[in-house]
Structures are given as C-alpha cells and as structure tokens.
Amino acid sequence: MHAPMPDCLAACAVDVLNTADPAQKTARSRAYARAWLDARASGTPMPIGQAAAPDHPARPADPELLSPTQVPRRNPGSPRGRIALLHAVAHIEFNAIDLHWDIIARFTDTPMPLGFYDDWVRAADDESRHFHLVNDCLIAQDSGYGMLPAHAGMWRSAENTAHDLMGRLAIVPMVLEARGLDVTPAMIEIFRKAGQADALAALETIYAEEVAHVAYGSKWFHFLCGRYDLDPKEAFHDKVRQYFRGSLKPPFNDEKRAEAGLPPDFYWPLA
C-alpha cells in the first residue's frame, strides 16, 4: 500500500468504504486492522478521530446488483449451483467488510470503550480474509467474484440504522450474522458431499469465526442497554420490530447462538 496511513481510525474506515476494487479494499482493510491492533498492543493507540462515512460504500462495476427476487436460483446439487452459492457467500463477506468499517466510522459521536473498536476492526479483518478464502475457491473453478449477479439489498440494513447504534448492533450482527450461523451447516454439508475440500475448509473457517462477530454485537448491545438502563431483551425486540422487515425464520442454531450470547427468548418471540 503506497498511500500514507490515515491519521485516525475513522479515516481508515472511510478509506476502506470509499475503495471499490475488491483486492484494494481487502488489502487496505487488513493493513489498517494490523496498524490499529499493533498500536493497541504497544500501548499507543491510534486516535479514533472523526470522518464522514459515505451513504453507500464504493462498489466495483461487477457483480451486477439485482433485487432479491431477480437473483437466479440454482440447484446447489450441480457444479454451477455450487459456484453460485460460493459467489453469494463471497458477496456477503464483501459487504460485511464495509458493514464493520461503517460501524467504526459512523458512530464516533457515541463514546465507546476502545474494546468496541478492537472488536469491529478484528471482525473487518476476518471478513477480508473470508472473502479471499471463498473467492480463491471460485477462481479455482474458472469463476470469481463479480462473474454472477448478486443481491442488491445487502446495504439496506446499514441505511435503515445509520442513525441508531443500538439498531445497527441488533440488526447486523444479532440478526443477519446470527442467520449465518443457522444456514452455514447445511452449506458445509453440500460441499462435503461434493468432495470440494477447499470450499469445505473455507466455510468451516467462516462458521467457526462468525460466532465471535455475533458475540461482539450482543456484548455491545448489552453494554449500551446498561448505559441507558434498558432491559436488553425488550430493547432487542423493539429494535428488530423497528428496523427488520418480516419475521425471523427458524430453524435456529440454538447452540451456536447461545455461544454468541443470544438466548432463545431474544429471537423465538420474533419468529
């Protein structure tokens, strides 16, 4: 990376958000994460600072973004269907990089402990790595991120919660990423049956590491509930009803959700 290091964490976050090219976005994300975590470890943290987060992150020319109903459905039992499934996962990971840097840049007006920033920097770094794990599987099959159309609705939850940190924590990690814990085991099984060892290893890594991201959401949601003297379960139900369209869909991965600090009485009443 030849550009000078931004002078604060919020500016690093905005630089990632404003970078369209996937290789550059992930390289910057990982370099800034390393710089932040190294500075924290040495006891001289980078200032959080402030920077204006864009309404929409920069996006590459491909993939073509379609409304959820227009994205072609393919049978995951076929090789083409499995490529489409991996492409969808790559798209989720690519968007997750931006979601984690966005929470860092957008809510600097809310004073939070440095541990809050540690968690989301680590999550953004994980997603950058996950994106390449999945994209490498696509490249090995003569495909790659951008070669199929993708879901245009991924950023909507960020727009809906752009002025509400508790709403963002409720929807992105505690609903959307928790949903990943529910659906990933079935995807792992598809690639196990197909004997695709690289995709299997990538998905198992993602599954193991996503638990922490849901846990970060739960931890900081509870932290803010404590600050504002709110009942966490009631507050969570209020935020999900306010910002999430439709109901939560079982089956739920109760075991992994519990590991991430999400008890059943948080999500079952919303199903």
Side-chain angles (χ1 to χ4, degrees), residues 237 240-241 244 246-252 264 266-271:
H237 292 170
V240 176
R241 289 187 178 116
F244 188 73
S247 55
L248 307 190
K249 290 182 174 57
F252 298 118
F266 266 56
Y267 50 87
W268 271 108
L270 299 166

Side-chain angles (χ1 to χ4, degrees), residues 8-94:
C8 65
L9 184 65
C12 292
V14 168
D15 188 47
V16 175
L17 290 163
N18 286 332
T19 300
D21 177 74
Q24 287 182 16
K25 186 187 285 285
T26 51
R28 290 180 188 199
S29 174
R30 301 216 67 191
Y32 295 153
R34 194 159 52 246
W36 168 263
L37 294 168
D38 287 351
R40 283 284 277 142
S42 71
T44 53
M46 186 191 296
I48 304 298
Q50 288 197 314
D55 290 339
H56 294 273
R59 284 281 171 265
D62 294 311
E64 179 190 5
L65 298 179
L66 303 176
S67 84
T69 52
Q70 293 175 305
V71 178
R73 295 191 180 282
R74 294 182 172 91
N75 172 15
S78 69
R80 281 181 62 189
R82 288 191 293 277
I83 286 172
L85 189 54
L86 287 174
H87 192 275
V89 174
H91 186 59
I92 289 166
E93 300 301 324
F94 189 68

Side-chain angles (χ1 to χ4, degrees), residues 195-262:
Q196 284 182 244
D198 57 346
L200 181 63
L203 289 170
E204 285 180 333
T205 298
I206 291 168
Y207 183 53
E209 293 179 357
E210 287 293 341
V211 175
H213 304 174
V214 181
Y216 298 157
S218 179
K219 172 169 74 173
W220 295 111
F221 187 84
H222 280 78
F223 173 87
L224 288 170
C225 287
R227 176 182 284 176
Y228 303 131
D229 198 23
L230 298 170
D231 175 281
K233 182 175 65 175
E234 298 306 321
F236 179 70
H237 292 170
D238 288 346
K239 295 298 182 189
V240 176
R241 289 187 178 116
Q242 184 177 351
Y243 294 117
F244 188 73
R245 292 177 185 176
S247 55
L248 307 190
K249 290 182 174 57
F252 298 118
N253 188 338
D254 293 325
E255 183 186 345
K256 285 291 180 192
R257 283 168 171 259
E259 214 176 293
L262 275 186

Side-chain angles (χ1 to χ4, degrees), residues 8-18 48-55 97-110 116-117 120-121 124 155 162 165 168:
C8 65
L9 184 65
C12 292
V14 168
D15 188 47
V16 175
L17 290 163
N18 286 332
I48 304 298
Q50 288 197 314
D55 290 339
I97 298 165
D98 287 325
L99 286 166
H100 297 326
W101 284 111
D102 187 79
I103 201 172
I104 288 167
R106 191 167 300 279
F107 298 102
T108 50
D109 287 349
T110 303
F116 172 85
Y117 297 99
W120 297 117
V121 165
W155 194 250
L165 176 54
R168 175 67 65 88

